[in-house]
Amino acid sequence: MSVPLVFDGKVVIVTGAGGGLGREYALAFGVRGASVVVNDLGGDIKGGGKSSNAADKVVEEIKAKGGKAVANYDSVEDGEKLIQTALDAFGRIGAPFINTFACISDLIHRVHLRGSFMVTRAAWNHMKKQKFGRIIMTSSAAGIYGNFGQANYSAAKLGLLGLANTLAIEGQKYNIHCNTIAPTAGSRLTETVMPPVLCESLKAEYVAPLVLWLSHDQCQENGGLFEVGAGWIGKLRWERSQGRIVRKKNQGMFPETVRDQWDNICDFTNATKPANINESVATLVEVLSRVETDEGIAPNPTSAMATAASGISPLEAVGQKLPESTFSYSQTQCILYALGVGMSTKDDDHLKFLYEGHEDFSCLPTFGVIPSQAAMMDGGLGSVPGLNFDFTRLLHGEQYLELFQPLPTSGTLTSQARIADVLDKGSGAVILLDVHTYSGKELLCYNQYSLFIVGAGGFGGKRTSDKAMVTRNISKRSDLTLIPRFQAALYRLSGDWNPLHIDPSFAAMGGFKSPILHGLCSFGFAARHVLKQYANNDASRFKSIKVRFVKPVLPGQSLQTEMWKEGNRIHIQCKVKESGAVVLSGAYVDLHAAADGSPQILPEAGGLKSELVFAEIGRRIKDLGAEMVKKVNAVFGWEITKGGNTAAQWTIDLKTGAGALHKGPYSGKTDVTITVSDDDFMEVVQGKLNPQKAFFAGKLKVRGNIMLSQKLEVILKDYAKL
């Protein structure tokens, strides 16, 4: 780590430092050499009472670590006393704003902020009753940008913007719109400091037309902020840089890392423009997900590699179809594939995949990826407009395969491929390629390739897609297989001729010490492990598989597949036994029901309190389904846990027909999936646990479109009465 940041000789005043964030700030400054004034009133959570204990305890902690600190127990409204404590103890303070802050809660605030609030409150109920209202708050450039010597005035004026934004949200359903203007106009206050010609150009009449328009019932603007003056009007919005993740899972976060990433944090290339708190929080949700999957410190999207992304254009590429491809094969290719993914005559139950004369001779289900590869490998991807990139930077990120009927052991198949979406991951681009494979007119299988193009990100595209088949994270039971050193050479005979898997010099160009195993070969190994453990090698029970490729496997290593059964879904994770490195993650295999009629849903989860709620939801969907579908238009997946394990799954479909409630694994695609314990679910339903607090406390986990969680009220409304 580089030179640490220190605060020797500096005096820091931390208010509310007796606990929470304030305490952390005080301790951190104390450890790094600052002289700290620990201010805390010592009140209770409601703001009542007073005690010196909280501040004293933090002072003792700082001194115990060799730091310098003094306590202060005054209210922040007594700012002069707090400042005097710093002067008496350390002879100086660190901020020159004593005089202006002395009146921050005085006349300026009473007139500008509280006055606006009081007038609006008096009018609010009248506006609600008449289902119409227009409110225009008057802020100032000093509030938006700050201005020397006007801390009190600026604080009040920016406070008005926060008030207006919240009123815009709360008033929307009553047709009450609230907007904010920041006018620049000549007045009695400015005529003494502005030349007469300038005052004449900044007449108030050049502001009034905007106010009139925003007040008219035809104007549907709501929550806007406008600068206006001299006959010019401009709308302002927030802009946020892509930012940087500066910590890794289970590791600390350090100010030195912040310093070293500062240019990237402040780089507004491809900046986002969050328009509401949900869009703001959505970024944090994604950050939590990326930290959880150990992506670590994110690279700079404006780095040299990212600038190579000029050839990526989602608008041109998405929806484009690749040339149709044809794949003819015989039983020989089926056998070669089975050998390529580790089948052996040493196991009697492998024989039906290796011997064409076997009475149950079958094609392994994951052979379904082979005919679909032709669409990509025959140069079709390079012909797509908007996808001009270096193919040597293409990596296989994820793979989804679904079978609609068992694969024939020979035949001629056709595949139709389409660009489903293109995503900007900052350090690279992700291409979602959908491939449907047919035998004649019958659909045999569907593949989705998630292809990562290193260095092709930073083009300003979206990071997620509702078209992506998602992965899941769970694992338990295991199977172990040694990958022979000839395995990659054998697997490539199935059609993947990439020299990366056979030629040491080519592998070295890619940064590998030796040729690596095909990702789809590991994919095949994992699938057959599941087929053996949970389906008795019955290929007809295979429905689908989804995996994320994390790291390569080297021939000669041992591949360990961990498995955990959840109904008819088998969650899997593959590791290299020798190193413990995860190579396939978030993966699962879905199986069809056994021929004996075994159910495709989870066993009854007796004793779950949430079952009563879902039963009531089902009844209400039957009565009011069409109305709820109209309001919600989404599919919600629920994973209810007990004792840390998934105990029940529910799907509330308020998108299709008159709505429906499903129990057990869902074959369709959910818009959002929520994982929560049975106890916490009931706490949320009964209003005892705030969903947002539950989310940030890790009690409620959300995958998919987090914005849809706002519509949960329609689904869960009034269930506390159960």
Side-chain angles (χ1 to χ4, degrees), residues 400-404 444-447 469 542-545:
Y400 178 79
L401 165 66
E402 182 172 356
L403 297 189
F404 298 96
L444 284 183
C445 61
Y446 159 67
N447 280 270
M469 303 302 296
F542 181 94
K543 180 186 177 185
S544 62
I545 180 173

Side-chain angles (χ1 to χ4, degrees), residues 30-31 33-35 59 61-69:
V31 166
S35 299
V59 168
E61 287 185 77
I62 293 173
K63 289 182 176 179
K65 295 180 179 181
K68 293 178 290 184

Side-chain angles (χ1 to χ4, degrees), residues 73-97:
Y73 319 116
D74 296 307
S75 165
V76 290
E77 291 181 306
D78 296 323
E80 290 184 353
K81 293 181 179 179
L82 199 158
I83 299 300
Q84 192 61 47
T85 298
L87 294 172
D88 291 344
F90 305 118
R92 56 172 297 181
I93 58 172
F97 46 64

Side-chain angles (χ1 to χ4, degrees), residues 626-685:
E627 181 182 340
M628 295 173 76
V629 167
K630 186 176 181 180
K631 288 182 179 179
V632 178
N633 190 32
V635 179
F636 290 84
W638 290 87
E639 295 175 350
I640 305 297
T641 66
K642 193 168 186 177
N645 296 318
T646 300
Q649 289 178 298
W650 298 88
T651 303
I652 302 172
D653 183 353
L654 293 178
K655 196 173 190 176
T656 308
L661 176 69
H662 305 276
K663 186 175 182 181
Y666 183 58
S667 59
K669 181 175 176 58
T670 60
D671 295 298
V672 60
T673 299
I674 301 167
T675 302
V676 63
S677 75
D678 187 52
D679 290 339
D680 289 334
F681 175 81
M682 295 306 297
E683 292 278 302
V684 170
V685 167

Side-chain angles (χ1 to χ4, degrees), residues 245 247-252 290-296:
I245 299 173
R247 73 178 179 94
K248 292 186 177 182
K249 184 179 179 182
N250 299 326
Q251 294 186 20
R290 293 173 65 186
V291 170
E292 186 64 26
T293 54
D294 216 13
E295 289 189 31

Side-chain angles (χ1 to χ4, degrees), residues 408-488:
T409 54
S410 63
T412 298
L413 309 179
T414 57
S415 293
Q416 298 173 359
R418 174 182 175 274
I419 305 298
D421 218 337
V422 179
L423 309 178
D424 186 351
K425 294 294 186 178
S427 61
V430 170
I431 299 171
L432 298 180
L433 178 67
D434 284 350
V435 186
H436 292 83
T437 300
Y438 299 84
S439 176
K441 294 184 178 180
E442 287 188 286
L443 178 62
L444 284 183
C445 61
Y446 159 67
N447 280 270
Q448 184 178 86
Y449 290 81
S450 179
L451 307 172
F452 188 80
I453 316 301
V454 178
F459 51 85
K462 59 184 181 180
R463 295 188 63 89
T464 60
S465 173
D466 58 5
K467 299 182 180 66
M469 303 302 296
V470 296
T471 53
R472 296 286 186 263
N473 290 312
I474 292 180
S475 64
K476 289 274 179 168
R477 188 175 174 181
S478 66
D479 201 336
L480 183 66
T481 301
L482 175 68
I483 307 296
R485 294 191 179 277
F486 59 76
Q487 200 68 53

